[in-house]
């Protein structure tokens, strides 16, 4: 009798958000006088937001699948080599527009400002026949705000998997981000742009969309979390990094991966926030984008230390 086997599923499917970042160390996040300035050697790193979430979850032992467009170019080969080295399960569709790039300025305090190229045209979409088989095997799907995955929500909602997204420094109004904000179950963002409007923005996400929870991270100030059914966000303090801060590139993505790790294990919100904060703080001690992630044992040790 013939038997059939079912391929194992994924704890997390990450859709979109890989590329290469060039890190430039500068004295200050401002344009100096003159028309040129000497800086330390610039270095390229595999980066971008989906990359950070996928690698962070992978380091924590979750079963991760990552899919995206990728150029047939030196940057694309750099991405593939990195994922092969780390054992990350990654598949891609070749983009004729090449591999996305980013230029990240980083000051001596580890703060950064990023320039991302917009090489993918607005009408580019991941083919449904490519992503759907992976979507059907996923317990949870994280969608980066890259636009070429925006149609995935139609199939995602029909299949019933949970979802998350990271809006980064959304201003609370930009319609591009709003599409992701209103259709995801867990919404992450930075408070960098909304500042004193954190409460109203988080409330609007929950009132207008399907999210059960929204988080606004605020760097060294910690984060603000609003759960459906609660009127005001709760503030959680930041976790002090174990080592000096070198580079904050990727800290938000690491926060998301730590939060998801705890959330998918059924942990309460307070424990999810602590796991995310620990994972984000760990990343800040390493130079470069997404160059180091905490593993499961390290997370448990650092969470225990943060509680004491």
């Amino acid at each position: 009798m013939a038997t059939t086997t079912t391929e194992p599923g994924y704890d997390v499917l990450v859709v979109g958000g890989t590329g290469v970042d060039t890190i430039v160390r500068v004295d200050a996040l401002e344009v100096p006088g003159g028309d040129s300035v000497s800086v330390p050697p610039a270095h390229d790193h595999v980066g971008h937001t989906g990359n950070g979430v996928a690698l962070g979850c992978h380091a924590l032992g979750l079963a991760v699948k990552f899919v995206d467009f990728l150029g047939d170019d030196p940057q694309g080969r750099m991405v593939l080599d990195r994922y092969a080295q780390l054992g990350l399960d990654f598949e891609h569709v070749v983009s004729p527009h090449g591999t996305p790039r980013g230029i990240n300025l980083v000051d001596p305090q580890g703060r950064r400002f990023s320039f991302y190229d917009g090489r993918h045209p607005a009408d580019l979409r991941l083919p449904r026949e490519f992503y759907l088989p992976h979507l059907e095997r996923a317990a949870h799907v994280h969608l980066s705000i890259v636009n070429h995955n925006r149609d995935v929500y139609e199939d995602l909602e029909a299949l019933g998997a949970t979802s998350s997204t990271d809006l980064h420094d959304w201003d609370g109004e930009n319609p591009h981000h709003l599409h992701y904000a209103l259709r995801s179950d867990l919404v992450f963002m930075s408070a960098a742009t909304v500042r004193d409007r954190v409460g109203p923005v988080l409330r609007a996400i929950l009132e207008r969309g399907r999210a059960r929870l929204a988080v606004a991270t605020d760097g060294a100030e910690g984060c603000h979390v609003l759960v459906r059914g609660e009127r005001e966000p709760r503030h959680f303090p930041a976790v002090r990094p174990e080592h000096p801060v070198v580079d904050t590139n990727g800290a938000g993505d690491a926060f998301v991966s730590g939060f998801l790790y705890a959330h998918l294990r059924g942990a309460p919100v307070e424990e999810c926030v602590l796991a995310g904060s620990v994972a984000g703080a760990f990343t800040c001690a390493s130079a470069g984008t997404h160059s180091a992630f905490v593993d499961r044992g390290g997370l448990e040790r650092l969470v225990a230390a943060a509680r004491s």
Side-chain angles (χ1 to χ4, degrees):
M1 178 183 295
T3 59
T4 59
T5 59
T6 301
E7 291 185 77
Y10 316 121
D11 295 321
V12 179
L13 170 67
V14 179
V15 186
T18 191
V20 172
D21 287 333
T22 299
I23 306 299
V24 182
R25 313 291 302 195
V26 296
D27 292 333
L29 298 181
E30 59 187 29
V31 178
D35 60 6
S36 66
V37 63
S38 295
V39 297
H43 296 284
D44 290 338
H45 299 268
V46 175
H48 292 201
T49 182
N51 166 83
V53 174
L55 287 180
C57 290
H58 177 70
L60 289 169
L62 295 174
V64 179
K65 181 78 177 189
F66 186 17
V67 297
D68 200 4
F69 281 110
L70 196 67
D72 183 12
D73 49 29
Q75 291 73 33
R77 289 187 284 277
M78 180 179 176
V79 170
L80 294 175
D81 288 346
R82 171 73 168 159
Y83 294 161
Q85 177 190 26
L86 296 175
L88 178 66
D89 186 356
F90 176 74
E91 289 187 41
H92 70 284
V93 175
V94 174
S95 169
H97 310 286
T99 300
R101 302 291 305 272
I103 308 297
N104 298 338
L105 307 183
V106 182
D107 73 6
Q109 288 74 46
R111 296 172 301 188
R112 53 96 177 179
F113 189 89
S114 302
F115 299 88
Y116 292 111
D117 66 17
R119 66 180 59 237
H120 289 321
D123 60 351
L124 183 70
R125 296 290 186 273
L126 276 172
R128 185 172 186 265
E129 62 272 17
F130 168 71
Y131 71 73
L132 186 58
H134 304 304
L135 203 64
E136 292 172 336
R137 295 170 54 196
H140 182 84
V141 182
H142 182 82
L143 290 99
S144 305
I145 54 168
V146 292
N147 197 62
H148 55 256
N149 61 6
R150 63 189 293 116
D151 296 343
V152 172
Y153 280 108
E154 296 295 334
D155 290 304
L156 173 59
E157 291 164 2
L159 290 169
T162 58
S163 62
S164 58
T165 193
D166 186 348
L167 309 176
H168 299 278
D169 58 342
W170 185 41
D171 62 4
E173 299 176 3
N174 188 310
H176 168 77
H177 303 69
L178 186 64
H179 175 82
Y180 294 85
L182 299 186
R183 301 191 73 169
S184 298
D185 297 299
L186 306 176
V187 177
F188 300 89
M189 63 177 291
S190 165
T193 299
V194 296
R195 305 316 309 169
D196 58 354
R197 295 187 293 119
V198 165
V201 170
L202 295 184
R203 281 194 293 275
I205 290 172
L206 269 59
E207 289 169 359
R208 298 179 60 190
R210 60 178 290 142
R212 66 186 73 165
L213 176 148
V215 181
T217 57
D218 201 8
E221 300 304 315
C223 68
H224 309 271
V225 181
L226 183 62
V227 177
R228 183 172 290 280
E230 298 178 359
R231 183 59 188 167
E232 295 296 331
R234 281 182 280 168
H235 175 260
F236 293 85
V239 170
R240 182 184 297 275
E242 188 176 32
H243 302 288
V245 173
V246 175
D247 192 336
T248 59
N249 279 296
D253 301 327
F255 178 97
V256 171
S257 66
F259 191 105
L260 289 179
Y261 170 78
H263 175 76
L264 294 174
R265 292 162 63 93
V269 170
E270 296 80 5
E271 292 184 21
C272 295
V273 170
L274 182 57
S277 299
V278 163
F282 180 91
T283 300
C284 293
S286 300
T289 305
H290 305 140
S291 55
F293 293 92
V294 70
D295 60 18
R296 184 177 297 179
L299 182 73
E300 292 173 354
R301 177 182 65 81
L302 291 169
V303 164
R307 286 181 177 145
S308 62

